[in-house]
Amino acid sequence: MHRHMAPGISRRHFFAAASATALPLFAAAPAPAAPVSIARCPDYGTALTPTLKTMFDQLGGLSRLVAGKTVGIKINLTGSPRQRLGNTPAELAQYTHPAVVGSVVRLMGQAGAQRIRILEGCFACDDPMEEFLIEVGWDPSPLLNAAARVDMENTNTLGKGGKYSRFKTPNGGHIFPSIMLNHSYEEVDVLVSLAKLKEHATCGVTLSMKNMFGATPLTIYGDHAAKDDADEGTARGGRGTIMHAGARQPAAIAEPERDPKSPRADKYRMPRIVADIAAARPIHLAIIDGISTMTGGEGPWNGGRLRAVNPGILIVGTNAACTDAVGTAVMGFDPMAERGTPPFERCDSSLKLAEMHGVGTRDLSRIEVVGLPIKDAVFKFRA
């Protein structure tokens, strides 16, 4: 069967475009659906904790999920502590707000969690998370004392563990057949992704699944990672060389890409890597902080139409893909959108790619929304 090329398009560009939109080599897995709770919360004050408790109760209660368990909470501290959107504090724009972290830790302690670990690959460094938070301007003490046994770990390195953990990606993965992570992600019984409601320059949106990209160790996937075994002295810089650009393979402790001849474009690669991570290391509880955030990108470095906004919304669900689909709709977008349509104008949809892995459905008609209806929660990020 021959394909006809439009006039003016070279054979090289035709096949490059075809490969950039090609589907993975595996069949779509069944995508489950799970309820998602939406609530209005105007600020980070006294209404925050009771609002979260109500949302958790609407989904069956925290106790059934965390009682007697070790819980890991992956927060979002993207970008340098010194980067601000004008005079807006980072927690009101790009960072997960510490009040939400503290409320979640407190409620999980009350629900019987045996141990709680606050996790993040702190921006471009191997500093202990406590020190990073102090540099941000936060006091880590209230978070560490919000429940009985709470600790923190910067997961850019091996940290307090003896070895990295390997998580196999279903179906061989879109990009990576497995993902290497800090030991903490294997040792926790329950994984929580505590994200911010934001757009993303490369992936369209960054919600609970994209939040997990920051869990990948810089010692393996970072710009300065060694080519052989993970070198604990290389945890600095970003993840542009290996992850975004695919200019080289990760440190040899990790499996190489499934197809090193696949497109090297970040808007092809990054949505697939997000889907691979979400499938390899499942999220048990997705919490999206949309009380105060920003539009136009994931951080002050994006430029363009950035502004601080106050949607006054919280979104919680037990399936990350379903929760992110609802979050996308709350932002005024269609979670079923294909590449070329907002918010995926220039990238593939990580929601679709995660759905293909069987993480969860993005079809709102299959997702039960409890609490505030989507139509009453919509805050258009492109207004």
Side-chain angles (χ1 to χ4, degrees):
M1 177 178 177
H2 297 284
R3 293 186 179 182
H4 297 282
M5 293 180 287
I9 298 179
S10 71
R11 181 174 297 273
R12 178 173 61 86
H13 285 97
F14 175 83
F15 285 110
S19 66
T21 57
L23 295 177
L25 300 178
F26 52 82
V36 176
S37 173
I38 308 175
R40 196 169 297 287
C41 190
D43 54 42
Y44 298 99
T46 56
L48 177 59
T49 299
T51 299
L52 282 168
K53 184 179 186 307
T54 297
M55 299 176 81
F56 294 145
D57 289 344
Q58 289 171 335
L59 298 174
L62 274 183
S63 294
R64 71 178 180 86
L65 185 65
V66 306
K69 304 288 183 61
T70 297
V71 179
I73 304 175
K74 164 64 173 71
I75 63 175
N76 187 349
L77 302 174
T78 186
S80 165
R82 298 179 182 179
Q83 291 177 301
R84 293 283 186 274
L85 182 59
N87 295 322
T88 303
E91 62 268 23
L92 298 181
Q94 70 267 29
Y95 283 6
T96 308
H97 199 286
V100 181
V101 181
S103 289
V104 170
V105 170
R106 187 173 303 108
L107 288 169
M108 289 191 167
Q110 294 171 359
Q114 183 182 62
R115 183 185 181 192
I116 300 170
R117 312 209 63 210
I118 301 172
L119 309 171
E120 170 64 311
C122 300
F123 178 75
C125 74
D126 59 1
D127 296 338
M129 188 186 294
E130 293 88 337
E131 292 185 14
F132 187 87
L133 294 183
I134 291 170
E135 186 176 354
V136 172
W138 300 357
D139 180 359
S141 299
L143 301 180
L144 292 168
N145 292 301
R149 293 183 63 199
V150 183
D151 60 48
M152 299 177 173
E153 182 143 16
N154 180 350
T155 58
N156 279 335
T157 68
L158 189 56
K160 303 167 187 175
K163 64 178 183 178
Y164 289 95
S165 297
R166 185 186 306 276
F167 296 90
K168 297 294 291 184
T169 311
N171 310 303
H174 293 291
I175 299 291
F176 290 110
S178 66
I179 302 292
M180 300 295 290
L181 297 175
N182 174 283
H183 65 100
S184 299
Y185 290 101
E186 182 176 12
E187 294 171 359
V188 298
D189 305 302
V190 177
L191 179 60
V192 180
S193 178
L194 181 41
K196 200 78 164 178
L197 187 74
K198 294 184 295 185
E199 295 173 84
H200 194 272
T202 307
C203 293
V205 294
T206 171
L207 303 167
S208 70
M209 292 191 293
K210 174 62 178 66
N211 183 39
M212 290 302 300
F213 178 72
T216 52
L218 292 177
T219 53
I220 299 174
Y221 300 100
D223 294 340
H224 302 282
K227 292 187 178 179
D228 297 320
D229 201 357
D231 182 345
E232 297 304 293
T234 61
R236 62 188 186 277
R239 300 175 180 85
T241 303
I242 295 172
M243 300 297 243
H244 284 253
R248 52 157 287 201
Q249 295 299 306
I253 188 175
E255 288 188 271
E257 294 179 31
R258 169 177 162 172
D259 180 10
K261 295 182 180 179
S262 64
R264 303 290 93 181
D266 62 349
K267 293 172 182 61
Y268 173 94
R269 293 175 57 78
M270 286 297 295
R272 285 166 171 77
I273 293 172
V274 168
D276 282 351
I277 296 170
R281 188 28 177 128
I283 297 163
H284 301 101
L285 183 65
I287 304 171
I288 302 174
D289 169 13
I291 297 175
S292 293
T293 183
M294 61 181 290
T295 63
E298 71 273 16
W301 50 88
N302 289 138
R305 53 182 181 80
L306 305 180
R307 63 189 178 102
V309 293
N310 301 96
I313 292 294
L314 290 167
I315 305 169
V316 178
T318 54
N319 181 290
C322 296
T323 307
D324 286 2
V326 171
T328 301
V330 167
M331 296 167 75
F333 303 120
D334 179 5
M336 296 294 287
E338 299 285 345
R339 183 176 183 136
T341 305
F344 309 116
E345 291 98 330
R346 296 182 299 155
C347 63
D348 293 306
S349 168
S350 57
L351 297 177
K352 178 179 181 178
L353 292 160
E355 184 178 60
M356 294 177 70
H357 268 322
V359 175
T361 185
R362 62 190 167 126
D363 183 351
L364 295 179
S365 70
R366 295 185 55 211
I367 302 170
E368 178 189 2
V369 175
V370 297
L372 190 69
I374 291 175
K375 65 181 179 60
D376 296 331
V378 171
F379 183 95
K380 292 187 177 181
F381 275 51
R382 301 281 183 89

